[in-house]
Amino acid sequence: MLNVHNLTVSFMGTDLFSGITFKLNKGDRIGLIGKNGAGKSTLLKVLSKDIESSAGTMAFDKDIQIGFLRQDIDFVEGRTILEEAYQAFEEIKSIELKLETINNQLATRTDYESEEYSQLIIDLTDLTERYELLGGYNYQGDTEKILQGLGFQREDFDKLTDTFSGGWRMRIELAKLLLQNNDILLLDEPTNHLDIESIIWLENFLKSYGGAIVLVSHDKMFLDNVTNRTIEISLGQIYDYKKPYSQFLLLRGEIKEKQLQAQKNQEKEIKQKQLLINKFKAKASKASMAQSLMKQLDKVELIEVDQDDNATMNVRFAISKEPGKIVVEAEKISKSYGEKQVLENVDLLIERNSKIAFVGQNGQGKSTLAKMMVGDIPFDGHLKMGHNVEIGYFAQNQSEHLPPEKTVLEIMEDAATDGNRMRVRDMLGAFLFGGDAVDKKAKVLSGGERNRLALCKLLLSPFNVLIMDEPTNHLDIASKNVLKEALRQFNGTLILVSHDRDFLQGLTTTVFGFKDKVIKEYLGDIDYFLEQHKMENLREAEKRTVLKVDKSVLKKQNELSKEQDKKLRKLKNKLTKIESQIGHLESEILKIDTQLAENYDEVSSKPNFFENYKAKKAQVEILMSDWELIEEEVEKFS
């Protein structure tokens, strides 16, 4: 479907990535991963032909249609949901306008015998045939069916898109892509702003999608459930493996470990040969052997180890001052958007040093309550902030408010005070904006880089209560882990809006569940919240239906589970046996290597020495291959 060869993209004379080559086949579901700023979104833009590459070629199959879901959806204001969804049918809508014009002319003209009138009839016939071929008589019904499948109600269809949250607008964009029957889907962080139910729908859709997919995501579970191939961009190069994310990480680690071991063995072998060369050089009778060894060394290709980009941001959240015992107190607060009631008569009490997670489907009022606390939106009822409370607020779209034409440094200096202006460059360095990166304009930053800058800017203001709405959107996995640790060390009050269970685990001690206009408090961590719902994870916690399991089905499942356990034990026993054999052989090889280094002539002159030596090494390779195959079988049980 697509061949990419020696692709290079440069900005301001610096290569973002260089000489990358890969092939995209039908059925490939590729997870494109890498650190923020590595070039993932840029690569998608090049593949979609939004921007041109600096060098290299791309060859597409004939008549390939590409659908691109961008990070930032730019809807035209004033359109209803149906009108926006119909934008998927550009040619059909264009033909409708032409047909309307022709029909109006036919209804008003009387020159029935003229050539112009005859041409109108011909045009009407041609356009009608094309309209039918494109599915013009079915597209409205198909659109309504897809929108309902995505959770929209019929009464929503005529509402303006402006009134819906980012997650629901993302669903409309996904509906458009689905209706277009694209051959290749390019998805840039599709799970951002989506609630769990939406993510489940998207996973099921992508798993059954017949074309090819390239998606950027920092959601580990989503990548594992959807992808069958992983391409990592790191330090300008790509690493391509036909494995989903978690298996890719293991394989990548194993390969690097083997590279390191091979490099170590090679260095040892080179050192041994160099010792022999130095030894033989001094003897005229062995000079020819020394020359032979030197030629062998000249031909050796040095083993290189894949380089990792291990740079991580350095974050620390400090409290400004000690607040009063009660941080937030609310009585009978309500909020509606037009006719839609989001919260109704909610009472709330948050004490100092609480660590709280807001959990629930999109549109249930989580972000709304956060905005009410910081005074961004009006509401009904009474809400009082405690004594000495200073709020730090990270909004869901925080990074979108960065002035696009200003540089990273200018944005920070504008927000700085006299007390912290001198520390701005150090702070930026801690957030991985070092050297020339501070001169980048906000408009060229990746989504993750914008989020990092917004987090850095947040630290310029004093706070003792931190409210964060989906702070991990766009952040790479390494940055997520750093942010989580910084929040764990934060000594103030923390309120987190998030759908990311991995991120929330071990971070909060109270969960507020939002559903049906009310809030329910759970005095425990996120795992306790899930236990209370008798569910394994947040994905099930936000499903609208609960499946009832037949007892006979459950019995069969238990029997299958026992059989699987038995097979798993056998496989693990095999693994242990092979690992023992490998360890024994490697000890023998190491012993021989030591003997060779100490007395090469004597040891190597033994009968069949090298045959036995090579046989041991070959046996290790065979055992390693067997180990990998069995390990893959074991992984299928996890």
Side-chain angles (χ1 to χ4, degrees):
M1 299 184 84
L2 168 62
N3 276 305
V4 175
H5 183 67
N6 281 338
L7 202 67
T8 297
V9 172
S10 303
F11 288 116
M12 300 170 63
T14 303
D15 288 347
L16 187 59
F17 47 77
S18 175
I20 66 173
T21 297
F22 64 92
K23 187 175 181 180
L24 183 61
N25 301 305
K26 188 174 182 179
D28 281 344
R29 298 195 299 273
I30 295 175
L32 185 60
I33 66 169
K35 300 192 70 174
N36 293 142
K40 304 182 298 296
S41 296
T42 300
L43 180 55
L44 291 189
K45 289 173 184 175
V46 172
L47 297 179
S48 69
K49 302 179 184 177
D50 276 12
I51 62 174
E52 291 185 0
S53 62
S54 306
T57 59
M58 296 190 301
F60 293 88
D61 286 354
K62 190 178 179 182
D63 299 326
I64 284 289
Q65 285 188 208
I66 298 175
F68 185 17
L69 182 71
R70 295 164 178 81
Q71 276 190 22
D72 304 311
I73 302 172
D74 188 19
F75 280 2
V76 175
E77 291 188 3
R79 284 181 186 159
T80 65
I81 288 177
L82 268 183
E83 288 170 343
E84 185 61 46
Y86 288 159
Q87 299 306 305
F89 307 99
E90 290 183 21
E91 190 176 354
I92 288 177
K93 299 299 287 182
S94 174
I95 292 174
E96 281 184 342
L97 290 174
K98 291 175 183 176
L99 288 172
E100 186 180 353
T101 301
I102 291 172
N103 283 319
N104 286 336
Q105 290 186 51
L106 290 174
T108 55
R109 294 179 67 148
T110 56
D111 54 336
Y112 307 121
E113 304 299 326
S114 68
E115 289 185 12
E116 290 84 357
Y117 195 90
S118 297
Q119 187 60 49
L120 285 174
I121 296 294
I122 293 169
D123 291 344
L124 178 65
T125 303
D126 290 345
L127 287 170
T128 302
E129 287 179 358
R130 179 65 179 164
Y131 187 75
E132 186 174 357
L133 183 66
L134 292 171
Y137 297 112
N138 301 319
Y139 81 92
Q140 292 179 335
D142 290 342
T143 301
E144 292 185 13
K145 191 186 301 180
I146 292 297
L147 288 172
Q148 285 181 305
L150 286 168
F152 290 99
Q153 304 297 318
R154 281 192 174 274
E155 54 266 29
D156 295 329
F157 291 170
D158 294 323
K159 294 177 181 177
L160 297 178
T161 59
D162 316 20
T163 62
F164 285 82
S165 67
W168 286 101
R169 293 171 73 172
M170 180 72 80
R171 294 189 204 198
I172 302 170
E173 196 69 12
L174 286 168
K176 286 158 64 176
L177 290 181
L178 177 55
L179 290 162
Q180 286 169 347
N181 295 317
N182 294 292
D183 301 295
I184 298 175
L185 279 183
L186 307 175
L187 307 175
D188 198 353
E189 304 213 40
T191 60
N192 280 355
H193 311 299
L194 291 186
D195 59 34
I196 305 302
E197 191 174 89
S198 309
I199 293 172
I200 292 170
W201 177 87
L202 182 58
E203 282 182 0
N204 291 331
F205 162 56
L206 294 180
K207 282 190 284 190
S208 61
Y209 180 69
I213 300 167
V214 183
L215 68 91
V216 173
S217 178
H218 301 301
D219 184 328
K220 292 182 284 187
M221 190 180 294
F222 182 73
L223 286 168
D224 281 338
N225 288 341
V226 171
T227 63
N228 55 19
R229 181 176 164 194
T230 301
I231 293 180
E232 179 187 26
I233 303 180
S234 178
L235 300 174
Q237 302 299 312
I238 66 167
Y239 301 92
D240 188 352
Y241 297 96
K242 291 183 178 179
K243 298 282 185 183
Y245 178 72
S246 292
Q247 292 181 38
F248 157 80
L249 283 184
L250 290 172
L251 188 59
R252 180 100 156 79
E254 289 169 8
I255 288 171
K256 187 176 179 183
E257 196 173 315
K258 286 181 182 179
Q259 287 175 337
L260 285 166
Q261 188 60 48
Q263 187 185 60
K264 187 177 177 182
N265 290 338
Q266 186 186 60
E267 288 171 351
K268 188 175 180 179
E269 191 175 329
I270 290 170
K271 186 178 178 181
Q272 288 171 351
K273 285 187 177 180
Q274 194 62 55
L275 287 170
L276 290 172
I277 289 168
N278 294 337
K279 183 179 178 181
F280 294 157
K281 266 184 182 179
K283 298 178 182 179
S285 60
K286 300 288 181 70
S288 60
M289 190 176 290
Q291 287 293 327
S292 177
L293 288 170
M294 288 170 69
K295 286 178 182 177
Q296 288 178 29
L297 280 185
D298 289 339
K299 292 178 182 178
V300 170
E301 289 187 16
L302 295 178
I303 295 169
E304 294 185 358
V305 179
D306 295 339
Q307 296 300 304
D308 291 331
D309 186 353
N310 294 315
T312 55
M313 61 180 185
N314 181 18
V315 189
R316 182 174 176 272
F317 296 108
I319 63 170
S320 54
K321 63 177 75 167
E322 187 78 359
K325 185 179 179 182
I326 304 300
V327 171
V328 181
E329 187 174 5
E331 292 181 4
K332 307 295 181 186
I333 57 172
S334 300
K335 177 63 184 176
S336 60
Y337 295 97
E339 296 179 359
K340 185 179 180 182
Q341 188 83 28
V342 180
L343 296 171
E344 187 173 16
N345 293 327
V346 171
D347 294 332
L348 194 69
L349 187 71
I350 297 176
E351 295 186 352
R352 179 179 61 214
N353 299 337
S354 298
K355 300 291 186 290
I356 295 169
F358 285 1
V359 175
Q361 293 178 346
N362 281 346
Q364 294 292 330
K366 305 183 301 298
S367 297
T368 295
L369 180 57
K371 290 174 183 175
M372 289 159 61
M373 288 179 179
V374 298
D376 271 7
I377 56 173
F379 56 91
D380 296 323
H382 177 71
L383 193 151
K384 179 184 176 184
M385 307 309 294
H387 177 64
N388 276 343
V389 165
E390 292 180 332
I391 295 178
Y393 177 49
F394 187 92
Q396 192 173 124
N397 59 348
Q398 185 82 35
S399 61
E400 296 173 15
H401 297 299
L402 300 172
E405 294 298 330
K406 289 198 172 185
T407 67
V408 169
L409 184 59
E410 287 170 344
I411 289 169
M412 285 291 287
E413 287 179 338
D414 288 348
T417 63
D418 292 338
N420 55 30
R421 197 176 307 279
M422 296 297 291
R423 296 194 297 113
V424 161
R425 283 186 178 271
D426 290 338
M427 291 173 68
L428 285 171
F431 280 79
L432 304 182
F433 292 105
D436 295 338
V438 299
D439 296 321
K440 283 185 179 180
K441 289 188 176 181
K443 65 181 180 183
V444 304
L445 298 177
S446 69
E449 287 174 320
R450 289 202 302 268
N451 250 30
R452 288 209 313 265
L453 179 55
L455 281 169
C456 189
K457 184 182 172 188
L458 175 67
L459 295 182
L460 290 170
S461 302
F463 56 82
N464 47 32
V465 175
L466 187 52
I467 302 174
M468 307 190 87
D469 193 352
E470 299 290 358
T472 60
N473 280 351
H474 306 293
L475 285 184
D476 60 50
I477 293 166
S479 297
K480 272 189 188 183
N481 293 336
V482 171
L483 176 60
K484 180 174 179 176
E485 184 56 33
L487 292 176
R488 189 182 280 125
Q489 300 296 328
F490 177 53
N491 291 323
T493 304
L494 177 64
I495 299 170
L496 274 175
V497 180
S498 179
H499 297 292
D500 190 332
R501 181 192 175 185
D502 287 335
F503 186 70
L504 290 175
Q505 276 182 325
L507 200 51
T508 60
T509 55
T510 305
V511 175
F512 285 174
F514 286 66
K515 191 174 183 181
D516 299 331
K517 307 173 194 175
V518 298
I519 302 172
K520 185 176 180 181
E521 184 177 5
Y522 296 83
L523 297 176
D525 63 5
I526 195 69
D527 289 327
Y528 173 77
F529 169 79
L530 298 175
E531 286 171 15
Q532 292 299 300
H533 286 71
K534 297 181 181 178
M535 298 171 188
E536 293 181 357
N537 53 43
L538 280 176
R539 292 172 174 254
E540 292 182 351
E542 290 186 4
K543 282 182 181 178
R544 289 178 178 172
T545 58
V546 179
L547 299 176
K548 294 182 179 179
V549 182
D550 189 278
K551 287 184 179 179
S552 62
V553 174
L554 198 59
K555 184 179 179 182
K556 286 180 182 178
Q557 288 176 343
N558 288 334
E559 289 172 356
L560 283 171
S561 179
K562 288 178 181 177
E563 185 64 26
Q564 286 176 336
D565 286 342
K566 188 177 178 181
K567 287 180 180 178
L568 183 59
R569 281 197 302 273
K570 284 184 178 179
L571 288 170
K572 286 186 174 180
N573 287 338
K574 284 183 180 180
L575 276 181
T576 303
K577 187 176 179 181
I578 290 174
E579 286 168 357
S580 176
Q581 289 175 310
I582 291 171
H584 179 69
L585 281 168
E586 285 183 336
S587 295
E588 288 185 358
I589 291 168
L590 183 61
K591 187 177 178 181
I592 294 170
D593 287 341
T594 304
Q595 291 172 350
L596 277 171
E598 292 173 351
N599 196 339
Y600 182 87
D601 288 338
E602 182 182 334
V603 175
S604 62
S605 63
K606 292 178 180 178
N608 301 322
F609 169 81
F610 281 109
E611 287 81 0
N612 292 332
Y613 183 61
K614 289 177 181 177
K616 290 182 188 294
K617 286 195 168 185
Q619 185 64 24
V620 169
E621 290 298 318
I622 292 168
L623 288 169
M624 287 296 289
S625 297
D626 292 343
W627 185 91
E628 287 175 0
L629 290 172
I630 296 172
E631 181 65 16
E632 285 180 5
E633 290 295 316
V634 170
E635 285 177 359
K636 291 177 183 177
F637 287 85
S638 59

